[in-house]
Amino acid sequence: GGREHAIAWSFSKSSLLTKLYVAPGNAGMAELADCINLDINDFEQISSFCLANHIDLVMVGPEKPLSNGIVDFLAKHNIKVLGCNSFCSQLESSKAFTKKICDKIGIKTAAYKVFDNLDESLDYLHEQEKFPQVIKADGLAAGKGVIIAEKREDAVQAVRDIFSGSYGHMDKVVIEEFLTGVEASFFAISDGNNFKVLSNAGDYKRVGDNDTGPNTGGMGTYSPSHYVTKR
């Protein structure tokens, strides 16, 4: 995708680089690196390639291998890797986990409830008078697992879709108050003890003009975002 292409482009400019591989890559990335046909979810295959080709550093782009533990796996084989381990990856792979972390350390977040079954979710929605409500699948859904339900029947259908497997297997749903505003992302990188601030970005998520329609995996991003200020 675009994110991985940008990462490959950045690595390709480094004076420290002697050889760059991308897996599986695409035609655009082939101009920057050697595309290799590896299954990014086959950790044994990836580690074997890294050891055979004396890879000094692996940078993981997609969320799924991160949440499945590729960083933990490669680290056990003494392969240096840049990415979140399986525990930290829950910040992306579990919205309920992220909400719990926010509560624990005092990060402001929208009011919410977490449910692990359909009936309790529907009971809660039928008690709500204020809409829209935000319905979130508690798992990776390729950027499509968040539904802004304008009406009660939309919210009910969204919850039914999530528990029926429309977004993949999900054990939980997060129902959240709707907040109006502009989305911005702020990026930093950490080794667990130190951190370095990178930059920020704005994301176009919704499929229609003027932020209408359902969320997608991404309709474009701009960086920096002028909505992010120093204060």
Side-chain angles (χ1 to χ4, degrees):
R3 170 174 53 196
E4 288 76 22
H5 194 157
I7 292 169
W9 176 76
S10 296
F11 270 109
S12 72
K13 298 192 297 179
S14 173
S15 60
L16 301 175
L17 184 75
T18 56
K19 187 71 175 178
L20 181 64
Y21 299 95
V22 291
N26 59 34
M29 292 186 221
E31 298 178 0
L32 306 170
D34 286 356
C35 294
I36 49 176
N37 187 26
L38 292 179
D39 180 352
I40 61 172
N41 295 302
D42 187 334
F43 298 169
E44 286 283 359
Q45 189 181 52
I46 292 172
S47 64
S48 296
F49 178 87
C50 291
L51 294 172
N53 291 275
H54 309 290
I55 301 299
D56 296 304
L57 178 66
V58 176
M59 170 73 184
V60 185
E63 297 97 336
K64 186 175 180 181
L66 288 170
S67 62
N68 287 342
I70 190 170
V71 170
D72 315 69
F73 186 89
L74 294 180
K76 288 179 181 178
H77 289 77
N78 297 315
I79 298 169
K80 291 181 180 178
V81 56
L82 181 57
C84 297
N85 61 25
S86 57
F87 178 79
C88 293
S89 293
Q90 292 178 91
L91 289 168
E92 178 69 18
S93 64
S94 172
K95 296 173 180 65
F97 175 86
T98 301
K99 285 289 195 179
K100 192 178 296 185
I101 292 293
C102 289
D103 287 345
K104 184 175 182 178
I105 60 180
I107 297 174
K108 292 181 180 180
T109 182
Y112 71 99
K113 293 282 187 179
V114 179
F115 299 94
D116 60 8
N117 69 78
L118 177 61
D119 290 341
E120 289 183 9
S121 305
L122 297 181
D123 288 344
Y124 176 79
L125 287 173
H126 286 303
E127 293 170 359
Q128 302 309 302
E129 298 297 333
K130 186 178 179 181
F131 284 84
Q133 292 277 329
V134 182
I135 314 299
K136 297 183 175 182
D138 185 53
L140 294 175
K144 302 174 185 178
V146 176
I147 302 96
I148 299 173
E150 301 288 345
K151 300 176 290 184
R152 191 188 318 277
E153 50 264 41
D154 297 333
V156 167
Q157 186 60 53
V159 168
R160 289 188 183 278
D161 288 344
I162 289 170
F163 279 115
S164 69
S166 295
Y167 301 93
H169 177 73
M170 302 287 169
D171 292 321
K172 297 177 184 175
V173 64
V174 178
I175 302 178
E176 185 178 276
E177 73 168 319
F178 175 73
L179 300 178
T180 302
V182 177
E183 177 183 328
S185 298
F186 184 78
F187 300 98
I189 191 168
S190 174
D191 63 0
N193 296 303
N194 309 287
F195 72 93
K196 181 176 178 61
V197 171
L198 299 178
S199 185
N200 59 75
D203 196 7
Y204 295 106
K205 292 288 289 184
R206 302 183 75 175
V207 71
D209 291 337
N210 301 313
D211 288 332
T212 57
N215 275 6
T216 71
M219 299 296 288
T221 302
Y222 56 95
S223 179
S225 169
H226 67 270
Y227 296 102
V228 178
T229 63
K230 290 185 178 180
R231 296 187 63 185

